[in-house]
Structures are given as C-alpha cells and as structure tokens.
Amino acid sequence: MQTSDHAGRTVFVAGGTSGINLGIAEAFAEAGARLAVMSRSQERIDAAVQRLRTFGGEAVGFSADVRNAAAVAAALKSAHDALGDIDVLVSGAAGNFPSTALGMSTNGFKAVVDIDLLGTFNVLRAAHAYLRKPGALVVNISAPQALHPRALQSHVCAAKAGVDMLSRVLAIEWGGDGIRVNSVMPGPIDDTEGMARLAPTADDRAAVVRGIPLGRMGSKRDVANLVLFLASPQAAFVSGAVIPVDGGWSANGAAGLRP
C-alpha cells in the first residue's frame, strides 16, 4: 500500500468539519477511506459529510462536544457500528483566543484546557475499544505553543503541552495492543481560523512568513500529507513522536508572531 492508498480503511476525525481537520478528512476520503467526522455543529457536520461523499466513499457524521465524555463515547460507538473497527483516529478539536493571563478568567482558561486537553483524553479513552488491534494509528493535533511560550497564549501553551505528553504516555500504554500514537504540530497554516486570529493583518502575516525558513505559509494539505504518511506502512515503527509540519518555523524559534 502506498501512502496515498487507504481504500477500505476507516478513519474517524474529531473536529473534522472545518480547517486543518477537515483537510485531513478530505485527504483520506480522496485516498479511498471511509470517513466518520464529529463536531458540535450539526450544520457543519452535514456540510462536511456532503463534501466527503463527493470523493465516492462512505462518510458519516456525529454531533458531540468533546468535553462531554458520554456524548463522545456514543458518537464513537455509532461510528463503529456503521463503519467497523477504526484504523486511523485523529483528535483535533481545539479552542483559542488571545488574552493575557491576568486578563483571562478562570473559566476562560478552563474552557481551552477542557476542549484541547480533556477533550483529547475523552476522545482517545472512548475510542480505544473500537480501534483496530493491532494496527491502528492515533494522531493528536498539537500546536507550536506546546513547545514555545507565547504571550497571550498561556491557556493554549498549557493545554497543548499536555496533549503532547498524553500522546507519549499512550504510545507506551497502548503499544502492546499494536496501536501507535503520535502528535502532529502544524505551524503557520494558511486559510485557517487559528492564523486569522494570531496574524490578523497583512503585516502580521508577512512577519510570520519572514520567520519561516522555507519562506511560505503551510497549507492544510501539507498537514494532511504528514498524517497520510503516518497512516502508511512506511511509518509502521513511528510512535510516541511529536512532529512539526511548519517549514522549519519551530526550529527557528517560532519567530514572527507579535504579542
């Protein structure tokens, strides 16, 4: 099987109705996989499922908030009932808003941690029973804030650092089941809500690009290609890794984002 051939495989993407996560779902659908997506918005779910079905394969969607463990478990059970054992699980639900620590309420900090970190735990814990054993891949979508402290991002830095450590721990705990667990860390990705918030002006975007050694923003397909590779036999011994896809931006200190 080539990295672009995933015919007959089942892929579940939490948060898979927009942005980077939808881009990952589309790439797997294009490669022949069966798709299940989950998010809070039924409107976005319906649109994503319709889009994914244009690639010619099966696609189903489920409404659940990753902070609600019971709802997440029900969605994963329904996906398993519809499509069978899950070969690839992508957990990508995320929340963010710029704020100083002193300007942020406890509830504001908790909301991001609950979505990013607790939500990831809820998805992975509930999915374990439905993952193919051996052979499944779990990919958690991280962020450069997990490695690089950033003003106005204390909540995201804390949450995403926790996500990466959870990936490493579960790679150890689930390795005996033949399940691989990795984090993918997208850098500045064009046409995403995250970059629109963190670099809202043309000057902000130009400053970010100057800090990227490859000299351009990434695309959603750049991220999807890495996940496709991780799901291929060529990556069968890759587990417990945190892999940036950022054109060298994190190696350059994640330069360019202004406080």
Side-chain angles (χ1 to χ4, degrees):
M1 182 178 70
Q2 301 300 312
T3 58
S4 59
D5 178 13
H6 295 276
R9 307 183 81 196
T10 296
V11 178
F12 186 103
V13 185
T17 61
S18 64
I20 289 171
N21 302 312
L22 179 57
I24 293 169
E26 289 175 347
F28 275 105
E30 185 179 15
R34 299 182 293 263
L35 266 296
V37 294
M38 183 188 82
S39 75
R40 287 184 292 175
S41 168
Q42 189 62 53
E43 182 179 358
R44 284 189 172 186
I45 291 167
D46 294 341
V49 168
Q50 183 177 5
R51 166 68 178 160
L52 294 170
R53 287 176 178 169
T54 65
F55 293 98
E58 293 180 79
V60 295
F62 305 94
S63 177
D65 187 325
V66 294
R67 294 169 291 187
N68 185 331
V72 168
L76 280 155
K77 182 181 185 304
S78 295
H80 182 261
D81 290 345
L83 302 177
D85 286 353
I86 297 169
D87 297 285
V88 180
L89 172 71
V90 179
S91 179
N96 192 2
F97 58 90
S99 177
T100 64
L102 290 178
M104 190 186 318
S105 69
T106 298
N107 284 340
F109 189 93
K110 182 177 183 295
V112 170
V113 172
D114 281 355
I115 295 169
D116 289 25
L117 181 53
L118 180 61
T120 298
F121 176 80
N122 287 341
V123 170
L124 270 57
R125 187 176 187 276
H128 182 270
Y130 307 118
L131 296 175
R132 188 174 303 281
K133 305 177 189 71
L137 167 72
V138 176
V139 173
N140 292 320
I141 304 301
S142 182
Q145 291 95 321
L147 288 177
H148 298 282
R150 182 69 58 188
L152 312 182
Q153 294 284 278
S154 60
H155 45 352
V156 180
C157 290
K160 289 301 190 182
V163 168
D164 288 349
M165 191 55 73
L166 182 63
S167 294
R168 294 185 177 104
V169 170
L170 294 186
I172 297 168
E173 293 187 0
W174 294 1
D177 294 327
I179 298 169
R180 296 181 295 117
V181 185
N182 296 288
S183 280
V184 166
M185 185 182 289
I189 303 300
D190 211 2
D191 192 28
T192 60
E193 184 179 344
M195 281 312 300
R197 288 183 178 182
L198 297 176
T201 71
D203 286 346
D204 292 335
R205 288 169 51 82
V208 172
V209 170
R210 286 194 295 271
I212 302 172
L214 289 185
R216 67 170 177 89
M217 292 263 190
S219 68
K220 287 175 275 193
R221 186 66 194 216
D222 287 326
V223 181
N225 284 340
L226 175 57
V227 181
L228 288 172
F229 167 72
L230 288 173
S232 75
Q234 288 88 340
F237 204 54
V238 179
S239 191
V242 178
I243 308 174
V245 51
D246 63 5
W249 189 60
S250 57
N252 197 30
L257 280 183
R258 301 175 182 178

